[in-house]
Amino acid sequence: ETKVEILTSDIANRTPKGPRYISPSSVKGILNIKETKNFNYRIPLSNNNVEMNIVGNCIHNIFACIDEYNDKERNEMIDRIISQYHLKETLINKDSIATAWYNLRQYLAERFGQATNIYHERPFRMEQNGQTIVGSMDLVWQTKQGNIVIDFKTNPMGYKELTDKDSLHYAGRYGGQLNTYRKAIITGGETVIATIVYYPVAGLVIELE
C-alpha cells in the first residue's frame, strides 16, 4: 500500500525557497559602528600571500585553549598548532598571538566587567523564516549583566578600510551574522549587551550597534 501525504497550503507557504540549512555568515545585514578600540598592535605576517582563512582558523584554535596553559606550556601549544596549520613561515612571532588574546581579554574586562563564563565556539541551532541556522559563536564573554558576543575576523587591513562604510571590508557588513548570534542568545532566554568584531591581526576591536 502506498501512502501519500498532501501538504496543506499553510505548510507549503512555510517551506523555504532557499536551502533548508544555512550558516550564520550567509545572513545578510549591515550595522553601524558604535565604538572602536585600536590596540596599535599587530600580529605580523611574514607571508602576505597566505590564505587568511587558514591563518584565522589557526588563531581561533589558539585562542580557544590559551587560558588552559601556563607560560611555558602556552608557547609549546602555540608552536604545535602553528605547525599543524603549516604556518611556521608565516606566524613567526608566537608572542604576538598571545598578546592579541590578552589585549582582548583586558579590554572586555575593563569595558564590560569580569566574565562569569567564557564560551569558545558556543554552538547554536535556530529556526527562522522556515530555515534552520546552524553554527557557533567564536567567543561569548558572559557577565552578570549579560553576554558580549565576539566574532573573530583576520582581515589584516587597517583602521580606515575596516571602518569606512563605503569599503567592501567595512566591519558593519557582518551585521547579519552578529544579529543572528544576538537573536539566538535572546531566544534562548539570555541577554546580549554588545556585539563585537575583533580583528586580532589588525589589532582592532569594532563594536556594532
Side-chain angles (χ1 to χ4, degrees):
E1 181 181 357
T2 301
K3 294 183 179 180
V4 178
E5 181 183 5
I6 305 298
L7 295 177
T8 66
S9 59
D10 178 59
I11 293 177
N13 288 337
R14 288 189 280 115
T15 301
K17 295 180 180 179
R20 181 69 180 87
Y21 296 92
I22 61 174
S23 66
S25 60
S26 67
V27 180
K28 304 302 181 185
I30 297 179
L31 293 175
N32 293 321
I33 292 176
K34 180 179 181 180
E35 182 173 311
T36 65
K37 170 65 177 180
N38 192 341
F39 295 123
N40 294 309
Y41 186 92
R42 298 177 63 88
I43 295 176
L45 303 177
S46 62
N47 178 6
N48 292 326
N49 296 319
V50 70
E51 293 183 28
M52 290 307 298
N53 64 313
I54 297 176
V55 174
N57 290 338
C58 178
I59 293 174
H60 287 190
N61 282 335
I62 292 171
F63 283 179
C65 61
I66 193 169
D67 287 335
E68 301 172 12
Y69 296 86
N70 61 36
D71 288 346
K72 180 177 182 299
E73 295 171 338
R74 182 199 70 195
N75 291 337
E76 294 173 351
M77 174 273 293
I78 293 175
D79 274 337
R80 183 172 64 253
I81 293 179
I82 289 175
S83 295
Q84 289 170 351
Y85 280 90
H86 306 290
L87 292 173
K88 292 194 74 171
E89 303 302 319
T90 299
L91 294 170
I92 57 175
N93 186 341
K94 57 180 175 288
D95 288 338
S96 68
I97 301 174
T99 299
W101 169 250
Y102 296 130
N103 281 345
L104 176 64
R105 279 199 59 135
Q106 182 178 359
Y107 170 80
L108 293 172
E110 291 176 354
R111 173 101 165 81
F112 302 103
Q114 293 293 337
T116 54
N117 287 296
I118 299 175
Y119 299 100
H120 293 275
E121 302 296 334
R122 189 177 188 185
F124 75 97
R125 178 188 179 102
M126 182 174 67
E127 302 291 330
Q128 180 173 280
N129 301 326
Q131 293 178 305
T132 302
I133 305 175
V134 181
S136 60
M137 308 168 205
D138 288 343
L139 178 68
V140 178
W141 182 272
Q142 190 175 72
T143 70
K144 293 179 180 179
Q145 289 70 40
N147 295 283
I148 298 88
V149 182
I150 302 100
D151 193 63
F152 302 141
K153 303 296 182 187
T154 46
N155 190 323
M157 293 184 175
Y159 181 88
K160 185 179 185 304
E161 291 87 352
L162 300 176
T163 59
D164 182 357
K165 277 191 173 183
D166 295 327
S167 169
L168 292 176
H169 305 282
Y170 173 58
R173 294 182 184 273
Y174 296 111
Q177 183 178 355
L178 271 295
N179 266 339
T180 298
Y181 295 155
R182 176 189 294 271
K183 186 173 182 179
I185 290 179
I186 292 173
T187 302
E190 299 178 24
T191 302
V192 176
I193 58 178
T195 52
I196 286 172
V197 182
Y198 180 44
Y199 296 88
V201 174
L204 185 63
V205 168
I206 299 180
E207 182 180 344
L208 303 178
E209 61 179 359

